[in-house]
Amino acid sequence: MERKFAHVLPGEHIYKGRLFFGYSPQEILDAVKNFNVREDDVFIVTYPKAGTTWLQEIVWLVVNEGNLQKATEMQVYFRSPFLEFKDLVLNEVGLDLAESMPSPRVIKTHLPLDLAPSGLFTSKCKKIVLFRNPKDQCVSYFHFYRSSSSFGNYQGDWPEFLEMFLDGHVDHGSWFDFTKGWWSKKDNPDVLILFYENMKKDLRSEIKKIAHFVGRSSVSDEIVDSIADHCSFESMRSNPMTNHHDVYSIDKEISPLLRKGIVGDWEDHFTTDQSERFDAEYAQKMAGTEIPFQYHI
Ligand code: PPS
C-alpha cells in the first residue's frame, strides 16, 4: 500500500492487504483463521464504531435470559471477547479468552469476511452483522483515533482522517471492503443484518428480532424492556461494566468510547464539499449494493 498520509502510527502493519495495529499482530490474525467455532456461538460482526459494544451487551443479555445481576460482575469485554485482540501490555488475548469460555459464547470481531475464521460458514453458528451509516461511523472513528493510544492518540485533523477512511488506510482496512463482503452474506439463514439507526429508532423491536434469531424467542416482554433500559446510551455510559472507563488505552478526557451515541453527528463534521465527495466515492465503490443506510432519523 502506497504511503500518502503524514502520520505514521505505532505498530502499523499490513496483513493481507489491510492495515492493522499492534494489538492485532500477524500471529493472532493467522490463528483466528483456524479458530475453533462452536455451533452455539454468536458472533458480533462489525466494522469499528458501528455500535459493537452496544450490541455485545444486548446479545450477551439475551443469551443469558436478561440476567442483569450477572452482567454487573464483569466488564462486557471479558464476557464477550474480541477475537483478534492482544493486549501487549497486559498480555490478554481474545482468542485465549474465547477458547476458555463456556458456551454459549458471544464473540466480537471487526474482521473483513475473508479474514474471519474459516469455520464461520461451515458451522450453523449465528452471525449478527451490525451496520451504521458510514458518515457517522467515520466521525466516531476519528474521535476514537484521537483518544486511543493504540493509534498514538492520532494528532491529524479531520480532513486528513476523512481521506484515510475513504482510502481504507485505517485500522482493520476499508469500510467499503468490509461492508461489501458481509453484505454479500445477507441471505444466509445464519446471518442477521442490523442497523444502528434502527436500534436508535426502536430498540425493543431490534432486541426481539435478536432474541428470535438466536433461538431465545421465549424472552418475555418484561425482559426485553429491562434489557432496553439497561442498554440505553445514558445507562451504558454510566455503567462501569460497559463504558470502558477503566481501559487504559482510551483517554476519556479526549473522547470517551460512549461519546454521543446519536444519528447525524456527521453534519457537525462534514463540510458540504466533503459530504459530496464522500457520496461520490460511495456511489463508485458500493455500486450495485443498495444497502438502506439512514443518515437522519
Ligand atoms: S468499537 O471500539 O469499535 O467496538 O466501538 P463501538 O462500540 O463499535 O462504537 C462506539 C460507538 O457506539 C456508540 N454507542 C452507543 N450508541 C447508542 N446507544 C448505546 N447504548 C451505545 N453504546 C455505544 C458510541 O457512543 C460510539 O459512537 P459515537 O458516535 O462516537 O458516540
Side-chain angles (χ1 to χ4, degrees), residues 49-54 108 110 132 140 196 231 259-261:
K49 305 298 136 194
T52 323
T53 316
W54 192 12
K108 154 183 167 175
H110 290 319
R132 182 180 193 184
S140 181
Y196 179 96
C231 293
R259 186 184 60 92
K260 279 198 177 171

Side-chain angles (χ1 to χ4, degrees), residues 121-243:
F121 285 96
T122 52
S123 155
K124 300 287 292 170
C125 74
K126 301 296 183 207
K127 283 80 58 178
I128 306 183
V129 182
L130 174 63
F131 288 142
R132 182 180 193 184
N133 87 62
K135 290 181 181 173
D136 278 332
Q137 203 159 348
C138 179
V139 166
S140 181
Y141 213 177
F142 170 58
H143 291 292
F144 189 61
Y145 251 63
R146 294 170 51 244
S147 67
S148 172
S149 61
S150 298
F151 312 122
N153 296 99
Y154 178 63
Q155 303 291 313
D157 58 10
W158 162 246
E160 183 190 56
F161 185 82
L162 175 57
E163 291 308 315
M164 286 162 52
F165 185 90
L166 288 171
D167 209 53
H169 191 82
V170 281
D171 182 34
H172 277 76
S174 161
W175 177 90
F176 301 94
D177 173 36
F178 173 95
T179 304
K180 276 191 291 192
W182 284 101
W183 181 247
S184 74
K185 293 289 184 188
K186 66 180 187 315
D187 297 324
N188 184 300
D190 298 314
V191 171
L192 175 68
I193 306 261
L194 297 176
F195 290 91
Y196 179 96
E197 294 76 15
N198 289 341
M199 289 168 61
K200 287 294 294 185
K201 284 200 286 198
D202 186 355
L203 188 54
R204 283 165 180 74
S205 295
E206 298 305 297
I207 294 172
K208 285 185 188 169
K209 208 187 275 180
I210 292 166
H212 179 71
F213 179 68
V214 300
R216 303 290 198 290
S217 301
S218 56
V219 166
S220 67
D221 285 353
E222 208 181 357
I223 291 180
V224 169
D225 285 348
S226 70
I227 295 175
D229 290 345
H230 175 89
C231 293
S232 71
F233 180 77
E234 291 71 24
S235 165
M236 279 186 60
R237 188 163 58 167
S238 58
N239 178 354
M241 297 299 124
T242 55
N243 64 15

Side-chain angles (χ1 to χ4, degrees), residues 67-121:
N67 193 335
L68 295 179
Q69 176 54 39
K70 209 170 149 201
T72 64
E73 290 166 8
M74 205 184 266
Q75 288 92 337
V76 62
Y77 50 80
F78 287 134
R79 285 178 278 127
S80 168
F82 181 8
L83 200 57
E84 64 270 24
F85 179 78
K86 177 176 185 174
D87 188 312
L88 301 169
V89 177
L90 305 176
N91 206 28
E92 286 159 2
V93 176
L95 275 170
D96 295 346
L97 183 56
E99 274 160 15
S100 65
M101 280 177 93
S103 293
R105 303 180 296 188
V106 177
I107 299 171
K108 154 183 167 175
T109 182
H110 290 319
L111 289 172
L113 183 61
D114 59 300
L115 300 188
S118 310
L120 267 193
F121 285 96

Side-chain angles (χ1 to χ4, degrees), residues 1-5 167 169:
M1 195 181 285
E2 187 197 344
R3 165 154 291 288
K4 298 194 251 180
F5 301 101
D167 209 53
H169 191 82

